[in-house]
């Protein structure tokens, strides 16, 4: 089995601290992750919800670029239907240059229809908007002038004065749990982020690998500087000295996280997602990993074996978890879990 790498995922959900303090604590946590050897910090984009206190990921990532040295940085994802693609091209180039070529470029359509509608965007129209916006983005990042004509966006011979530090452009990422979108991500050559229980992720990883092999040599393919894709899975993580302590901490923090992640749905009397984010679901499907270092290591082994992924994205700060606990959890994970996966093989459970 290939070597496993680890990254960080963040919503920057509201929690209990003042927002300014929240930002500063997150930057300090990110500095610790940089020192500990995590591969990348991935930041979600959400709007009009306590789930996302970084509705402009670029602003926070620009700050993160100035306080870190090695860890790569990127949105997971930019919601392309909410951007003017020309403005986004410039933003991507700036971030890649400011970070010294450390940008990882996640793109998507948006998972919450209520957020899209607040911006006047019809969720049913986002596939076409996404496809056009991505085509504009890639064209602008790879040409000295931008000309494009589509149903949603039109540009005529616009000078591209900024270029990304990475050529041809930063690596592209696409998270999904939709089987059709998995096929799309593999055909296009995106890094893939799997969501949900390990068995379901495994089906998508296997489908991705098969599709990637069939299409990898096609001309005109979006490969975004990705010679070999990362196949990723996302998990919330709490590590403490004992399993009982970790579970107590996780359960208390989950109450606030659950309120944040379901709030927009509940505001519209929609309870269709409740089961996806419930504590019982997280424990049963191990979409949340909580325990002593030894227990967490066992769970990561099982996750990697069952999902087939070679990159695990961990969220250490969420809900009402205090900064000190998130930092302790991250450090315990880096010191007592990560080294077991760095030798080219996953340890036995």
């Amino acid at each position: 089995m290939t070597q496993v790498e680890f990254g960080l995922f963040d919503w920057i959900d509201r929690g209990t601290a003042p927002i300014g303090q929240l930002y500063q604590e997150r930057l300090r946590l990110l500095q610790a992750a940089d020192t500990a050897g995590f591969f990348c910090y991935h930041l979600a984009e959400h709007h009009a919800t306590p789930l996302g206190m970084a509705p402009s990921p670029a602003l926070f990532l620009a700050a993160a670029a100035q306080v870190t040295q090695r860890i790569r940085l990127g949105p997971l994802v930019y919601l392309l239907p909410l951007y003017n693609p020309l403005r986004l091209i410039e933003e991507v180039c700036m971030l890649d240059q400011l970070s010294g070529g450390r940008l990882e470029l996640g793109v998507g359509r948006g998972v919450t229809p209520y957020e899209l509608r607040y911006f006047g965007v019809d969720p049913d129209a986002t596939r076409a908007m996404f496809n056009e916006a991505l085509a504009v983005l890639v064209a602008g990042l790879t040409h000295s002038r931008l000309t494009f004509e589509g149903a949603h966006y039109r540009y005529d011979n616009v000078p591209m004065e900024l270029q990304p530090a990475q050529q041809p452009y930063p690596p592209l990422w696409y998270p999904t749990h939709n089987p059709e979108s998995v096929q799309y991500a593999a055909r296009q050559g995106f890094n893939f982020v799997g969501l949900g229980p390990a068995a379901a992720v495994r089906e998508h990883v296997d489908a991705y690998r098969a599709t990637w092999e069939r299409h990898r040599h096609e001309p005109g393919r979006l490969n975004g500087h990705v010679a070999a894709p990362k196949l990723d899975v996302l998990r919330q993580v709490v590590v403490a000295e004992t399993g009982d302590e970790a579970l107590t901490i996780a359960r208390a923090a989950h109450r606030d996280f659950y309120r944040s992640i379901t709030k927009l749905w509940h505001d519209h009397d929609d309870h269709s997602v409740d089961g996806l984010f419930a504590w019982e679901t997280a424990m049963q499907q191990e979409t949340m990993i909580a325990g002593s270092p030894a227990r967490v290591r066992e769970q990561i082994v099982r996750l990697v074996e069952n999902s087939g992924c070679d990159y695990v994205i961990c969220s250490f700060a969420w809900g009402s978890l205090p900064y000190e606990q998130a930092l302790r959890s991250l450090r315990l994970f880096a010191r007592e879990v990560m080294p077991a996966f760095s030798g080219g093989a996953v340890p036995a459970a």
Side-chain angles (χ1 to χ4, degrees), residues 124-206:
D124 293 333
T126 56
R127 170 56 74 186
M129 295 177 72
F130 170 86
N131 288 337
E132 280 195 21
L134 182 58
V136 173
L137 183 62
V138 171
L141 292 172
T142 55
H143 293 82
S144 60
R145 287 183 173 268
L146 172 64
T147 296
F148 183 89
E149 183 170 349
H152 299 280
Y153 311 105
R154 297 184 182 186
Y155 302 99
D156 183 19
N157 201 32
V158 181
M160 296 289 98
E161 296 294 343
L162 285 166
Q163 293 80 39
Q166 300 174 86
Q167 294 296 316
Y169 43 86
L172 293 165
W173 296 70
Y174 194 82
T176 185
H177 55 83
N178 181 304
E180 292 183 6
S181 295
V182 172
Q183 301 283 339
Y184 166 80
R187 288 195 304 271
Q188 298 300 327
F190 297 113
N191 291 304
F192 165 70
V193 183
L195 309 170
V201 172
R202 183 56 181 256
E203 291 182 11
H204 294 161
V205 165
D206 289 346

Side-chain angles (χ1 to χ4, degrees), residues 137-311:
L137 183 62
V138 171
L141 292 172
T142 55
H143 293 82
S144 60
R145 287 183 173 268
L146 172 64
T147 296
F148 183 89
E149 183 170 349
H152 299 280
Y153 311 105
R154 297 184 182 186
Y155 302 99
D156 183 19
N157 201 32
V158 181
M160 296 289 98
E161 296 294 343
L162 285 166
Q163 293 80 39
Q166 300 174 86
Q167 294 296 316
Y169 43 86
L172 293 165
W173 296 70
Y174 194 82
T176 185
H177 55 83
N178 181 304
E180 292 183 6
S181 295
V182 172
Q183 301 283 339
Y184 166 80
R187 288 195 304 271
Q188 298 300 327
F190 297 113
N191 291 304
F192 165 70
V193 183
L195 309 170
V201 172
R202 183 56 181 256
E203 291 182 11
H204 294 161
V205 165
D206 289 346
Y208 182 103
R209 285 195 172 109
T211 303
W212 167 274
E213 289 298 329
R214 287 197 303 271
H215 295 274
R216 63 183 302 182
H217 298 300
E218 289 182 352
R221 194 164 174 269
L222 293 177
N223 58 22
H225 222 58
V226 178
K230 288 186 182 299
L231 302 176
D232 320 325
V233 64
L234 170 64
R235 290 295 185 260
Q236 290 168 278
V237 178
V238 175
V239 192
E241 278 73 13
T242 69
D244 287 345
E245 182 188 7
L247 285 170
T248 299
I249 292 167
R251 183 153 200 154
H254 180 268
R255 287 192 289 268
D256 289 302
F257 172 77
Y258 180 82
R259 282 193 290 268
S260 290
I261 203 165
T262 59
K263 183 177 186 299
L264 277 183
W265 306 84
H266 290 178
D267 284 351
H268 294 82
D269 198 25
D270 183 344
H271 292 267
S272 61
V273 302
D274 289 10
L276 295 175
F277 303 115
W279 171 260
E280 293 75 16
T281 303
M283 291 294 99
Q284 179 183 358
Q285 298 181 350
E286 294 190 339
T287 52
M288 181 186 296
I289 293 174
S292 66
R295 171 63 174 163
V296 168
R297 192 163 54 244
E298 291 174 0
Q299 289 182 287
I300 297 291
V301 168
R302 186 160 55 248
L303 172 63
V304 171
E305 290 178 343
N306 292 343
S307 70
C309 290
D310 55 16
Y311 181 56

